[in-house]
Amino acid sequence: MALIDLQDISKHYSAQKILSQINFHIDEGERIVIIGKNGSGKSTLMKIVHGTLEYDAGRRIIKNNLEIKMLDQRPNFKEGHTVREAVEDGLRELNTAKTRYNELSLLLAQDFENKKLIDEHEDLCKYIDHHNAWNLDDKIQRIIEHFNLKEYENKPIVLLSGGEQRRVALASLLLQKPDVLLLDEPTNHLDVYMVEFLEELILREKFTLIFISHDRYFIDKIATKSIEIEDCALREYTGGYSNYLLQKAEWIRTLQKQHDNLLGVLKRENEWFARGVRARLKRNEGRKDRLMTLREDAKNNPAKIRKMSVELQREAKHFNRDKSINKQKMLFEVENLSLTLGNKELLKEFTTRILQKDVIAIVGPNGSGKSTLLKALLGRLKPTSGTIKQGEFKIGYFDQHREMLDDSKNLMETFCPHGGDRVSVRGKDMHVYGYLKNFLFPREFLEKKIAVLSGGEKNRIALALLFTLEVDILILDEPTNDLDIPTINILEEQLTNFSGAVIIVSHDRYFVDKIAKKLFIFKENKHIEVSHQQYSQYLDLEKELKELDAMEADAKKTEVVKESLREKPKVLKLSFKEKIALEKLPKEIDELEEKIEEKNNCLANPSCYEEIGLAILAKELEKLQEIYEQKVEELLSIQEKEEEINSL
């Protein structure tokens, strides 16, 4: 039986149909991404699955006692709670279960035949196991650190930004590990390092997950199934984003010629994705093999580790060489630029030139200073020290607050402020509707006020307006936030066809890989590293270098221990007691294994365990296993010491 089963569900708002007789189900362990245009019904489907939205027709069937939890776009917290208290507030049931489990363990030690206590004890054990909640304190600490919430741990949550509050809510949900987790754009407000941690956590903890996301690398890494909502219906595809592209293109090939344009977009997108994946696989194959070999002999070969580290750094430097064409027009000349915001130093002595055809992505952790650098380039923030020289050119700026839009105007007034119904786009005269249709707006939107549009719709309007401006450089701060994948594809196409310079701030690895030709990477030491490699490739290199550093540190520790042992050869020998144990322990372990097997056989035989007593038998087995593990641990420790002696 599926955990959740929606049968013939229909939903409409006023006269607008959203879902029409759709069927949807999720089994344990599945990770389903919901794909579709903004307004197609993705969030509606999610809320129906959650049970917080009524539907007009159909049936919603869920497994008994199923725990379904959803990440709210605007989370609510208890008044006065700090960040840590807010995270822990969602874990009360788990902590109560652990407390009760410990109480029952003590009671059973005195009354080990009490069946009621045994049953409750077993149920609690399964519950805590399912939520992987035995070491909650360690997990809380780890997730707070990886989501960059440590410095706010004891701060009232009301003082945090909306994005920071979303990270707190996400952390709490991940720690709770419900039976089914629903996430709407979970990677919003996360930097790439947080997204990588989230990916690893979801896969390691084996979440059952339904999610909405525009992060195509995240989808491809996480999703086991893709569900697309289109024309009020659902269509199912196996796997993540790359599989979706292939299967969708194949499906479209069977449709009428009116879909040729969409097929072209999908084909280009799929070719780019496949080319990038193949390139990364080929590029990393040999390096990964070498890294795996190093893991085997890392303790004995620190020199080899350092050699590979140097090779990787040399590879990175190859990409980081300045490849600018000096004949291009200079837009910005930055010299020894330093930036401080409040009391926080963000950037030290950065020098670079930005030319007329540069396509640059500014990347780095949250709070590192990316948007601040944009403001300095725009002249809105005075440098702490250093200079920014600017040539003669026009700038088109897109920011997260959509400051270029006037809420009191409708779309026609926004695009034709002087009247008429025509707009010029890079020298081409177009009807407003004909142009806005490219940004997925129907004709009836032309008279709508900006104020009534959703966040995603406002973003689309701001981007559409940006590309009507006659400018030499586009500066965009997190342009993919609140956009669906079809709109991001349109944005990518517009940027690719733009003839001037482009500077973007973005955490979207796929988007950056596809658009940027140069990276400005904010580092922990407040400096910016300039690179010409793809962002995903840079992140791969960075991760491998960190792994090599850790391996080298381990190898050096081993060398120190060995050197210490060489200096004290008299100390390093097996004691008389250890020699006796080395002879006796293997036989004792064999005998214990036989006894454990006997007890397990008895547990499988009703006539046997009824005679002895199930609780007594379970207690005896637990004691045998405990002794067995101690003996094995003792033997391994002595054998390891013997190997060290023999290796000297």
Side-chain angles (χ1 to χ4, degrees):
M1 176 187 169
L3 298 181
I4 302 169
D5 197 4
L6 304 185
Q7 299 177 356
D8 296 322
I9 294 288
S10 295
K11 176 66 181 175
H12 70 275
Y13 295 108
S14 300
Q16 185 182 3
K17 274 188 181 180
I18 302 297
L19 301 171
S20 179
Q21 294 184 304
I22 61 102
N23 294 293
F24 173 89
H25 74 274
I26 183 167
D27 296 321
E28 187 173 356
E30 284 192 305
R31 299 183 297 274
I32 300 176
V33 62
I34 304 173
I35 295 172
K37 298 175 184 176
N38 283 345
S40 62
K42 300 190 297 294
S43 295
T44 297
L45 176 59
M46 186 93 86
K47 289 173 185 173
I48 290 173
V49 169
H50 188 219
T52 50
L53 182 66
E54 293 294 325
Y55 42 91
D56 302 320
R59 296 178 68 201
R60 175 180 177 269
I61 304 168
I62 66 168
K63 187 179 176 182
N64 287 339
N65 302 317
L66 191 72
E67 187 181 37
I68 309 171
K69 295 198 174 181
M70 182 172 177
L71 177 65
D72 293 325
Q73 289 287 353
R74 294 180 179 83
N76 292 314
F77 300 99
K78 287 187 178 177
E79 189 175 345
H81 265 189
T82 64
V83 167
R84 190 175 183 94
E85 287 169 343
V87 170
E88 292 177 341
D89 187 55
L91 306 176
R92 281 177 298 169
E93 289 181 21
L94 287 172
N95 282 318
T96 301
K98 286 179 69 179
T99 301
R100 179 58 179 162
Y101 176 86
N102 292 331
E103 290 172 356
L104 289 170
S105 298
L106 294 173
L107 291 171
L108 281 169
Q110 300 170 356
D111 186 10
F112 50 79
E113 290 188 343
N114 189 320
K115 190 173 187 309
K116 185 179 178 183
L117 293 181
I118 290 170
D119 290 343
E120 186 184 354
H121 192 264
E122 287 178 353
D123 288 343
L124 284 171
C125 184
K126 289 176 185 175
Y127 176 74
I128 298 168
D129 267 341
H130 173 74
H131 292 84
N132 196 9
W134 294 106
N135 56 340
L136 266 181
D137 288 339
D138 290 343
K139 292 174 74 175
I140 290 169
Q141 198 62 28
R142 189 161 175 258
I143 206 166
I144 282 177
E145 287 173 358
H146 277 87
F147 278 173
N148 201 20
L149 296 168
K150 183 67 180 170
E151 63 180 295
Y152 311 121
E153 190 173 7
N154 299 311
K155 191 175 181 179
I157 200 160
V158 293
L159 300 180
L160 270 61
S161 69
E164 289 162 347
Q165 289 187 15
R166 280 253 304 174
R167 294 209 300 272
V168 173
L170 178 58
S172 182
L173 274 180
L174 292 167
L175 288 164
Q176 292 169 50
K177 200 191 175 189
D179 298 321
V180 180
L181 179 59
L182 310 179
L183 299 177
D184 190 350
E185 293 292 358
T187 63
N188 275 3
H189 310 292
L190 303 185
D191 62 35
V192 291
Y193 304 104
M194 296 176 193
V195 173
E196 285 183 347
F197 170 73
L198 177 61
E199 290 170 348
E200 291 167 5
L201 182 64
I202 288 171
L203 295 175
R204 184 177 66 250
E205 299 279 353
K206 296 181 172 59
F207 276 85
T208 300
L209 178 68
I210 303 172
F211 67 104
I212 298 167
S213 179
H214 68 266
D215 187 326
R216 288 156 287 182
Y217 280 151
F218 181 76
I219 294 171
D220 213 53
K221 183 86 174 277
I222 296 299
T224 59
K225 184 191 294 183
S226 302
I227 300 290
E228 184 175 34
I229 304 180
E230 193 171 38
D231 299 328
C232 307
L234 302 190
R235 190 168 292 104
E236 182 179 312
Y237 304 92
T238 57
Y241 187 66
S242 53
N243 281 0
Y244 158 76
L245 289 172
L246 288 169
Q247 295 167 53
K248 173 85 172 184
E250 186 61 36
W251 176 73
I252 290 177
R253 285 190 186 95
T254 65
L255 300 181
Q256 302 171 6
K257 288 184 179 180
Q258 63 182 348
H259 294 286
D260 284 351
N261 186 45
L262 180 55
L263 178 59
V265 172
L266 276 167
K267 184 180 179 183
R268 289 194 299 274
E269 176 78 345
N270 183 56
E271 286 174 351
W272 186 90
F273 188 90
R275 187 168 64 248
V277 169
R278 283 197 301 271
R280 285 197 303 281
L281 286 174
K282 185 177 179 182
R283 180 175 60 242
N284 291 335
E285 191 173 300
R287 187 193 303 142
K288 290 289 186 186
D289 288 343
R290 295 198 303 277
L291 191 60
M292 293 309 294
T293 302
L294 276 176
R295 290 185 193 282
E296 297 300 319
D297 60 1
K299 290 182 179 179
N300 302 316
N301 208 337
K304 191 173 179 183
I305 298 169
R306 176 47 48 190
K307 182 175 181 291
M308 185 175 175
S309 182
V310 170
E311 287 175 5
L312 284 179
Q313 288 169 346
R314 188 181 296 125
E315 183 178 341
K317 286 176 183 175
H318 166 75
F319 286 104
N320 298 351
R321 287 200 302 259
D322 189 7
K323 301 180 182 181
S324 301
I325 301 171
N326 293 327
K327 291 180 181 179
Q328 291 181 27
K329 176 184 175 184
M330 193 274 290
L331 302 181
F332 293 101
E333 187 165 5
V334 179
E335 190 169 350
N336 293 325
L337 177 66
S338 295
L339 296 172
T340 301
L341 201 59
N343 295 321
K344 185 177 181 181
E345 186 180 37
L346 299 172
L347 180 61
K348 290 180 181 177
E349 298 178 343
F350 177 49
T351 298
T352 192
R353 299 174 75 205
I354 298 173
L355 307 179
Q356 68 185 98
K357 292 190 180 295
D358 275 343
V359 182
I360 300 167
I362 303 174
V363 295
N366 280 349
S368 56
K370 301 181 298 296
S371 296
T372 305
L373 176 57
L374 287 190
K375 289 175 183 174
L377 292 174
L378 290 164
R380 300 182 178 190
L381 182 70
K382 188 177 179 181
T384 309
S385 63
T387 59
I388 301 175
K389 295 178 183 177
Q390 183 176 324
E392 291 294 324
F393 57 89
K394 294 179 182 177
I395 298 174
Y397 176 54
F398 173 90
D399 73 322
Q400 299 175 58
H401 306 291
R402 300 177 286 265
E403 64 181 39
M404 63 198 302
L405 299 181
D406 183 342
D407 280 353
S408 67
K409 293 181 178 179
N410 62 29
L411 268 61
M412 285 295 294
E413 293 167 334
T414 298
F415 284 87
C416 304
H418 305 297
D421 57 8
R422 314 291 294 182
V423 64
S424 177
V425 183
R426 289 194 292 274
K428 185 179 179 182
D429 186 58
M430 301 179 70
H431 190 276
V432 172
Y433 170 62
Y435 175 59
L436 289 180
K437 190 166 61 173
N438 295 328
F439 288 84
L440 310 179
F441 282 102
R443 187 181 291 273
E444 57 267 24
F445 268 68
L446 293 179
E447 299 303 324
K448 279 193 175 185
K449 297 285 187 184
I450 299 292
V452 304
L453 301 181
S454 69
E457 288 165 345
K458 286 181 178 179
N459 266 9
R460 275 190 281 157
I461 285 297
L463 287 168
L465 187 60
L466 187 68
F467 290 111
T468 65
L469 304 177
E470 294 294 329
V471 295
D472 302 290
I473 182 171
L474 293 172
I475 297 180
L476 302 95
D477 192 356
E478 293 290 0
T480 64
N481 277 2
D482 297 318
L483 295 185
D484 52 27
I485 291 174
T487 309
I488 296 174
N489 281 328
I490 293 166
L491 170 62
E492 289 165 350
E493 191 171 356
Q494 293 283 344
L495 289 173
T496 301
N497 294 330
F498 181 67
S499 59
V502 177
I503 302 175
I504 54 174
V505 166
S506 181
H507 293 304
D508 188 329
R509 297 159 295 175
Y510 190 103
F511 176 70
V512 171
D513 275 358
K514 199 169 179 183
I515 296 301
K517 303 295 187 291
K518 184 191 291 187
L519 303 176
F520 286 175
I521 306 157
F522 272 80
K523 307 295 287 183
E524 289 181 357
N525 60 4
K526 318 299 181 189
H527 288 277
I528 285 179
E529 180 181 340
V530 179
S531 175
H532 289 79
Q533 66 202 113
Q534 282 196 321
Y535 192 28
S536 57
Q537 183 179 1
Y538 170 83
L539 292 170
D540 286 342
L541 274 171
E542 183 183 52
K543 185 182 290 185
E544 287 168 23
L545 283 166
K546 285 179 181 176
E547 288 175 2
L548 286 170
D549 286 342
M551 288 162 63
E552 186 180 22
D554 288 342
K556 284 180 178 177
K557 284 180 185 176
T558 304
E559 283 296 309
V560 170
V561 171
K562 284 185 176 181
E563 189 62 35
S564 174
L565 293 173
R566 289 189 194 103
E567 291 171 1
K568 301 176 182 179
K570 293 179 183 178
V571 178
L572 190 65
K573 64 179 182 178
L574 292 183
S575 67
F576 178 75
K577 186 179 177 182
E578 286 172 331
K579 288 176 182 177
I580 297 297
L582 194 59
E583 292 177 6
K584 288 186 174 182
L585 281 171
K587 185 180 177 182
E588 291 176 0
I589 288 169
D590 288 341
E591 290 171 355
L592 283 166
E593 286 177 345
E594 289 175 8
K595 289 179 182 178
I596 289 169
E597 187 176 0
E598 285 175 13
K599 298 295 181 187
N600 280 319
N601 290 337
C602 187
L603 280 171
N605 185 347
S607 60
C608 181
Y609 68 67
E610 285 172 3
E611 182 181 340
I612 299 172
L614 189 61
I616 294 172
L617 189 61
K619 197 74 178 175
E620 289 175 351
L621 179 60
E622 184 181 349
K623 185 65 177 175
L624 282 171
Q625 288 172 330
E626 185 180 330
I627 296 169
Y628 174 78
E629 287 172 6
Q630 288 172 357
K631 298 280 186 186
V632 169
E633 185 67 32
E634 185 182 355
L635 179 61
L636 288 173
S637 177
I638 296 170
Q639 287 176 338
E640 191 174 311
K641 184 175 178 181
E642 186 180 41
E643 286 174 8
E644 285 183 8
I645 293 169
N646 294 335
S647 68
L648 293 175

